[in-house]
Each structure stands twice: as structure tokens, then as C-alpha cells.
């Protein structure tokens, strides 16, 4: 491993990444800084400032502190590893209000300490594969086998790469949209871990698609005439004291 990628999400859901050389002078545990405007003042589609966002290039920066429990080797980039982390204010040292990961951690902690509630959570990730002509790779129906046969090498490599990253696929099938797949991740008892897995899985899907001269698209509605892509969450809440005491399931 020569490089460590530090990854966070901005408030629009874009993955933001900076890289440190492993043998560089900067200690890896210190993390990296991100301009605040990048994390809360840019839209999802371009590097332009959002009007009235209240953030400019002079707004300062936030420190991304790595959570090394999320550290993974990247099988599609063999010289690199990736770690996710939380964003902190530079002066106060408190979690930033722009940090989605810190907000999720706080919600999980509040549920446990105040309400004695814990979670089990899973995710279904949908995406569409396009070929080099920007056309969906097939036009078959829901749960058809043709797309699996045609793109078995893509499916096999995706499964192998995720397995090497300790991310387990519970189920995979063709979806209703043209060229559409669904990947179901195994349930986790830690919502933060599951969220990290979703980020890493989407990045891996896109990388494996590129290796096969394809493009993976996660847009909610890429064509008005076709089924859109969803990210379906399955959430169970229960009292920590008794597994049978299920409060809510969706």
C-alpha cells in the first residue's frame, strides 16, 4: 500500500476524497482538511457555489479525523487503502454540523442511552449499467437471468472485491429498469457500519463497472420512462434488554 484515501460525504451525498502517501511526512492518524464550502456550499452536479448557502472560499476548513475501524484495502486500486472519518471544527474541536457521519453516530448513541433502543439495519442498492454508447446494457424484465449471464464477469468480480473488503452481499438480482441491478447488503447491528458499507459498495460498483468498460449510474430517475434507482433501507428497532421486544420494523 502506497496511498491512503480519506473519504467523507458532503451534504449533497457526494464522496469527497483526499490522499496521503503512506511514507509521507504527515502522520496518517491526523487526517486531512477539507474546505468547508466544498462540504456544504456546492451542489451535487458541479463545483460552483450555491447562492445564499452562507459559505464561501473564506469560510475556513474542517478536519477529517479517520475512523480506522473502517479501513479497507481497495482491490480495484491495489496501491491504495481507504478510511472513512468524521468532520470536526478546527478551533472548537467539536463535530461539525456538516458531518453526516457524526450526526448518525449521535442519533445511535441517543437512542441507546436515552431510550435503551438498538437497531438492526440493511440496505438494497440499485444501479443501472450503461455501455460505451451510453445505452443500458439490456432491456429485460424484473429478475430475468439474461443480464446475469451477459455480465457474469462483472457480477463475479464485484462479489470477489466486496468479499475481500469484508462486505457481504446477501442477494443480487436484475431489477425492473433497463440495465438495472439490485445488490442487497447483509444486515448490520451498527448503523454507522452499514452506512460505511453503502458508501464503499457504491464506490466499488462504479470502479468494477469501469474495469469492464461500463458505467454504473445511481441516479434516482435516469429516464422518465424507466424504473428509477432506489436505496431501500430496512430498519428494526428493539429494546436492548429483550430481542423479542420489537418496537418498529420498516
Amino acid at each position: 500500500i502506497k496511498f491512503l484515501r480519506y473519504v467523507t460525504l458532503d451534504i449533497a451525498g457526494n464522496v469527497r476524497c483526499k490522499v496521503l502517501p503512506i511514507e509521507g511526512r504527515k502522520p496518517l492518524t491526523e487526517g486531512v482538511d477539507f474546505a468547508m464550502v466544498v462540504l456544504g456550499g456546492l451542489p451535487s452536479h458541479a463545483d460552483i457555489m450555491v447562492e445564499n448557502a452562507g459559505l464561501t472560499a473564506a469560510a475556513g476548513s474542517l478536519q477529517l479525523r479517520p475512523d480506522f475501524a473502517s479501513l479497507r484495502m481497495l482491490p480495484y486500486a491495489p496501491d491504495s487503502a481507504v478510511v472513512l472519518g468524521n468532520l470536526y471544527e478546527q478551533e472548537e474541536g467539536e463535530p461539525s454540523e456538516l458531518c453526516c457521519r457524526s450526526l448518525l453516530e449521535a442519533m445511535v448513541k441517543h437512542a441507546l442511552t436515552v431510550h435503551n433502543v438498538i437497531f438492526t439495519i440493511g440496505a438494497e442498492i440499485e444501479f443501472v449499467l450503461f455501455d460505451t454508447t451510453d445505452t443500458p446494457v439490456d432491456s429485460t424484465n424484473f429478475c430475468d437471468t439474461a443480464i446475469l449471464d451477459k455480465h457474469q464477469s462483472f457480477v463475479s468480480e464485484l462479489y470477489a472485491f466486496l468479499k475481500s473488503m469484508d462486505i457481504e452481499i446477501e442477494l443480487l438480482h436484475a431489477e425492473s429498469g433497463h440495465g438495472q441491478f439490485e445488490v442487497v447488503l447483509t444486515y448490520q447491528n451498527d448503523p454507522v457500519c452499514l452506512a460505511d458499507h453503502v458508501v464503499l459498495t457504491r464506490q466499488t460498483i462504479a470502479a468494477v463497472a469501469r474495469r469492464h468498460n461500463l458505467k454504473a449510474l445511481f441516479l434516482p430517475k435516469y429516464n422518465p420512462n424507466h424504473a428509477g434507482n432506489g436505496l431501500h433501507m430496512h430498519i428494526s428497532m428493539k429494546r436492548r434488554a429483550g430481542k423479542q421486544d420489537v418496537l418498529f420494523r420498516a
Side-chain angles (χ1 to χ4, degrees), residues 4-200:
L4 181 57
R5 300 181 183 183
Y6 294 79
V7 164
T8 187
L9 298 182
D10 65 21
I11 61 172
N14 296 308
V15 174
R16 302 293 183 179
C17 174
K18 287 190 175 182
V19 182
L20 286 181
I22 295 294
E23 297 181 355
R25 295 184 179 182
K26 184 176 176 62
L28 300 178
T29 54
E30 289 186 4
V32 296
D33 294 342
F34 282 89
M36 197 178 302
V37 67
V38 172
L39 301 166
L42 303 182
S44 62
H45 60 277
D47 286 338
I48 55 176
M49 298 204 186
V50 175
E51 187 177 0
N52 299 323
L55 293 173
T56 68
S61 60
L62 300 174
Q63 182 186 32
L64 175 63
R65 298 180 187 175
D67 177 358
F68 283 102
S70 69
L71 182 68
R72 297 289 191 281
M73 306 293 193
L74 291 178
Y76 52 85
D79 287 342
S80 299
V82 63
V83 65
L84 291 94
N86 294 25
L87 297 164
Y88 287 83
E89 302 284 348
Q90 293 280 18
E91 296 183 3
E92 296 84 357
E94 297 294 325
S96 169
E97 62 180 6
L98 298 177
C99 183
C100 304
R101 197 171 189 270
S102 294
L103 175 60
L104 179 58
E105 287 182 344
M107 291 175 63
V108 173
K109 182 179 179 180
H110 178 83
L112 178 61
T113 57
V114 176
H115 302 288
N116 200 35
V117 168
I118 58 177
F119 301 90
T120 301
I121 183 168
E124 300 177 2
I125 302 172
E126 294 177 350
F127 62 96
V128 175
L129 285 182
F130 287 82
D131 61 22
T132 54
T133 66
D134 286 335
T135 303
V137 295
D138 87 322
S139 59
T140 56
N141 295 327
F142 177 79
C143 282
D144 199 295
T145 60
I147 192 172
L148 300 176
D149 295 338
K150 184 178 180 181
H151 295 285
Q152 182 60 42
S153 59
F154 165 82
V155 172
S156 295
E157 188 167 67
L158 175 62
Y159 175 78
F161 280 6
L162 289 176
K163 185 177 181 180
S164 74
M165 299 167 71
D166 293 326
I167 299 175
E168 184 178 350
I169 291 180
E170 183 171 295
L171 182 69
L172 187 148
H173 62 84
E175 260 291 349
S176 296
H178 291 184
Q180 191 176 42
F181 280 91
E182 178 175 285
V183 172
V184 182
L185 300 184
T186 300
Y187 280 81
Q188 300 290 328
N189 293 322
D190 180 358
V192 178
C193 177
L194 190 278
D196 289 347
H197 283 188
V198 169
V199 174
L200 294 172

